[in-house]
Amino acid sequence: MQEAFNDFMTMHFYGHTRADEGNFGNTKLSKQKVVGMLNSFASLQQMAFNIPQRISNVTVGLSSVAIESAAKGFFNAADVSAAIKEYLKYSPDRLFESGSTDQDNYISLWRDRFDISQDNGREFKRKKYGKSRFKRTANGGILYAGLTVGEDFLSTVTSIAVARNFKVKDAEGNVTNLYNAYEKAYKDPVNKSGAYLKLKDGYTKEDGSPITQEDEYRFSKVCAGLSFDLQGIYNLNDRSAMQQYAGGSLLIMYRKWIAPAMKRRYAGVHYDILRDEWEEGYWSTTGTFFLETIKSMKEDSESLLSAIRINWDKMTDYEKSNMKKAATEFAILMGTVIACAALNLLSIPDFGDDDEEREVTWIEKQFLYHALRLRNELGAQAPTPMMAQEAMKILKSPIAAMRPLAQAADTFNLLIPTNYIEKVKTGRYAGRTKAYKYFNDLPVIAMWKHINNFIDPTSSINYYKNPNF
């Protein structure tokens, strides 16, 4: 117990997020440093300039927000719509603030005030105040530009939507919400620098009591809990303990969302400390409901509709909201399946009277690709017949970092003369020489292929249609 406590203190209070596992054998190669380099290498090869990934992060996240809003718990569809408008309104100014150490944008200040990213101020340590704005912007991070846009968008929208349901009163006694309760102020009003948000004078909670730091802390943690459920856990303080070990960080790479997603859907009744409430996975609630319905039909000889009505009336409001979440996810998934089928028809060549092949437009390919990705993400999590197949596309590589490492090892195949003659028989390189395949799979070349896949997503579409492609 004491050892576990010490590990916790070391990780969370002293910022040591990696366990000291020593070196490989008698060498001076640190296990953690080698794994860190491997993860960085894999990230560079798979995430740099990966525009489709950025778009997918948003589309998948929005589907999660839509499922949550169906329950009308912390927010509803109207709240989400209003929050998106606020985010988009301030986005141009935030873009122009890139690299600035003195941000003045309301959304940026809102995120700082309530620690929406849950990094506990670590972002300030990465500002690199001693460097020019150009150097802070034009560095290696530009390769990953936009990678966190999805997370930034969804966590911000979620927080604003939740704030709209935190009712407060203004100085005149009119009811408004927490998002409207703050105004921009400056530590140096003369030069308008050191911007921050402060509570407007005279604003109170709906019952007239003051808005305290405890209320703000509670709001911040509710937003964090929702963000973890909807997107996964990416901040340092709340990351899983297995990530402090070399093997654990390799295994969980690109899969930090899986545990929260499964918990959100299939967990039994448990207490969520961040949101301060008891909760249950919505598919667990749905499964229990149908089991009870079948039981009622057998024991009480009730008709199906009668049994459904009886068991529905027995459910609590929370359980009913869980059922709505499950129904919404199923509806989105089925809608995506239908959309994929319809869009797939557009990708099939259409021969007319002149025997001219119909050209599939870039927009049609993009819609099909992202529909297939969304079907894959939701299909891997919802309990439908496609669950196993879609999950295998995500989990077929036990360690995500191994693929780029294997591709790097294939560099040596370029030194084998016969590879410039022998042809590849199947897959995306069918008909090409093996040397051509190995060259295009080089990590540096593969990094730039993300741009080509955005320009022409045909090969990506074929992958999600056929995981063996």
Side-chain angles (χ1 to χ4, degrees), residues 138-149:
N139 54 32
I142 201 170
L143 299 174
Y144 299 95
L147 186 60
T148 59
V149 166

Side-chain angles (χ1 to χ4, degrees), residues 68-99:
E68 187 66 31
S69 65
K72 298 181 180 180
F74 290 101
F75 52 77
N76 56 35
D79 296 321
V80 173
S81 177
I84 292 175
K85 289 179 181 178
E86 283 295 302
Y87 184 89
L88 295 178
K89 181 174 75 173
Y90 289 103
S91 289
D93 287 341
R94 289 187 75 201
L95 182 62
F96 286 115
E97 281 187 348
S98 297

Side-chain angles (χ1 to χ4, degrees), residues 48-49 54 128 135-147:
F49 300 125
R54 275 90 163 144
K128 300 178 181 178
K135 289 182 178 180
R136 284 193 297 269
T137 305
N139 54 32
I142 201 170
L143 299 174
Y144 299 95
L147 186 60

Side-chain angles (χ1 to χ4, degrees), residues 80-280:
V80 173
S81 177
I84 292 175
K85 289 179 181 178
E86 283 295 302
Y87 184 89
L88 295 178
K89 181 174 75 173
Y90 289 103
S91 289
D93 287 341
R94 289 187 75 201
L95 182 62
F96 286 115
E97 281 187 348
S98 297
S100 173
T101 58
D102 191 12
Q103 295 183 335
D104 191 61
N105 185 279
Y106 190 89
I107 291 295
S108 297
L109 300 179
W110 171 266
R111 288 180 60 85
D112 286 342
R113 172 84 187 196
F114 294 104
D115 193 22
I116 300 303
S117 61
Q118 290 294 300
D119 69 351
N120 294 300
R122 287 188 177 88
E123 181 63 30
F124 288 102
K125 298 179 182 179
R126 296 190 290 267
K127 291 288 187 185
K128 300 178 181 178
Y129 289 94
K131 294 187 176 182
S132 67
R133 183 171 179 176
F134 175 79
K135 289 182 178 180
R136 284 193 297 269
T137 305
N139 54 32
I142 201 170
L143 299 174
Y144 299 95
L147 186 60
T148 59
V149 166
E151 181 183 346
D152 181 274
F153 169 74
L154 293 166
S155 60
T156 304
V157 165
T158 300
S159 68
I160 296 174
V162 174
R164 283 172 53 85
N165 283 280
F166 192 120
K167 300 303 180 184
V168 301
K169 284 185 178 179
D170 61 18
E172 285 74 39
N174 301 312
V175 177
T176 181
N177 59 68
L178 189 67
Y179 182 70
N180 297 325
Y182 294 86
E183 62 184 355
K184 189 161 43 177
Y186 298 93
K187 293 181 179 179
D188 183 357
V190 176
N191 297 310
K192 287 193 173 182
S193 64
Y196 66 98
L197 291 190
K198 77 178 188 70
L199 189 66
K200 294 177 182 177
D201 293 337
Y203 273 65
T204 67
K205 286 188 285 191
E206 194 171 13
D207 60 4
S209 60
I211 300 172
T212 65
Q213 287 186 336
E214 184 178 348
D215 295 321
E216 293 182 337
Y217 177 79
R218 156 87 173 132
F219 167 75
S220 175
K221 290 307 175 184
V222 167
C223 293
L226 280 170
S227 182
F228 294 161
D229 279 356
L230 300 180
Q231 303 174 64
I233 301 175
Y234 296 93
N235 68 321
L236 293 178
N237 278 13
D238 299 285
R239 69 198 306 181
S240 62
M242 69 181 295
Q243 287 181 256
Q244 67 178 307
Y245 301 105
S249 63
L250 277 175
L251 188 63
I252 205 171
M253 188 177 186
Y254 304 142
R255 297 182 173 96
K256 299 179 182 68
W257 57 271
I258 293 179
M262 293 297 103
K263 178 183 175 183
R264 181 178 172 225
R265 289 166 173 81
Y266 300 106
V269 178
H270 62 281
Y271 180 73
D272 188 291
I273 192 170
L274 289 176
R275 291 188 285 187
D276 190 26
E277 66 177 11
W278 289 92
E279 60 180 26
E280 181 182 35

Side-chain angles (χ1 to χ4, degrees), residues 19-25 27-38 245-247 249-250:
D20 184 4
E21 297 183 86
N23 301 332
F24 286 102
T27 69
K28 294 183 178 181
L29 294 175
S30 167
K31 293 180 181 179
Q32 285 290 358
K33 288 183 178 180
V34 170
V35 168
M37 291 175 62
L38 179 57
Y245 301 105
S249 63
L250 277 175

Side-chain angles (χ1 to χ4, degrees), residues 175-439:
V175 177
T176 181
N177 59 68
L178 189 67
Y179 182 70
N180 297 325
Y182 294 86
E183 62 184 355
K184 189 161 43 177
Y186 298 93
K187 293 181 179 179
D188 183 357
V190 176
N191 297 310
K192 287 193 173 182
S193 64
Y196 66 98
L197 291 190
K198 77 178 188 70
L199 189 66
K200 294 177 182 177
D201 293 337
Y203 273 65
T204 67
K205 286 188 285 191
E206 194 171 13
D207 60 4
S209 60
I211 300 172
T212 65
Q213 287 186 336
E214 184 178 348
D215 295 321
E216 293 182 337
Y217 177 79
R218 156 87 173 132
F219 167 75
S220 175
K221 290 307 175 184
V222 167
C223 293
L226 280 170
S227 182
F228 294 161
D229 279 356
L230 300 180
Q231 303 174 64
I233 301 175
Y234 296 93
N235 68 321
L236 293 178
N237 278 13
D238 299 285
R239 69 198 306 181
S240 62
M242 69 181 295
Q243 287 181 256
Q244 67 178 307
Y245 301 105
S249 63
L250 277 175
L251 188 63
I252 205 171
M253 188 177 186
Y254 304 142
R255 297 182 173 96
K256 299 179 182 68
W257 57 271
I258 293 179
M262 293 297 103
K263 178 183 175 183
R264 181 178 172 225
R265 289 166 173 81
Y266 300 106
V269 178
H270 62 281
Y271 180 73
D272 188 291
I273 192 170
L274 289 176
R275 291 188 285 187
D276 190 26
E277 66 177 11
W278 289 92
E279 60 180 26
E280 181 182 35
Y282 53 80
W283 280 113
S284 294
T285 303
T286 304
T288 300
F289 171 80
F290 283 111
L291 288 175
E292 289 297 320
T293 298
I294 294 172
K295 184 179 178 181
S296 297
M297 292 174 63
K298 289 182 176 180
E299 294 181 355
D300 304 325
S301 300
E302 299 283 355
S303 65
L304 176 60
L305 291 178
S306 178
I308 289 175
R309 184 174 59 254
I310 291 172
N311 283 285
W312 178 262
D313 292 339
K314 291 180 181 179
M315 298 181 77
T316 64
D317 290 340
Y318 174 80
E319 290 171 331
K320 290 178 180 179
S321 71
N322 264 3
M323 290 281 289
K324 292 176 183 177
K325 290 180 185 179
T328 303
E329 179 166 76
F330 184 78
I332 293 175
L333 177 57
M334 290 301 102
T336 305
V337 170
I338 294 171
C340 287
L343 290 167
N344 191 50
L345 290 176
L346 295 175
S347 66
I348 298 175
D350 180 21
F351 296 92
D353 295 336
D354 298 328
D355 289 334
E356 293 183 359
E357 183 177 335
R358 177 187 179 278
E359 183 179 353
V360 181
T361 67
W362 180 80
I363 290 293
E364 290 170 349
K365 289 181 179 179
Q366 288 293 334
F367 272 109
L368 176 56
Y369 167 69
H370 289 290
L372 286 167
R373 284 204 65 157
L374 184 58
R375 185 187 70 179
N376 171 239
E377 297 277 356
L378 295 181
Q381 300 172 61
T384 66
M386 70 178 71
M387 186 177 187
Q389 179 181 350
E390 297 298 339
M392 284 305 299
K393 293 177 185 177
I394 297 173
L395 301 174
K396 69 176 185 177
S397 175
I399 299 179
M402 290 296 103
R403 184 180 180 188
L405 189 64
Q407 290 174 333
D410 283 341
T411 302
F412 296 102
N413 288 314
L414 292 172
L415 302 177
I416 302 175
T418 56
N419 286 332
Y420 289 84
I421 302 173
E422 296 180 7
K423 299 292 183 68
V424 179
K425 296 181 180 179
T426 60
R428 70 179 70 185
Y429 298 114
R432 300 280 192 173
T433 65
K434 289 184 177 181
Y436 180 89
K437 173 186 180 300
Y438 293 133
F439 177 79

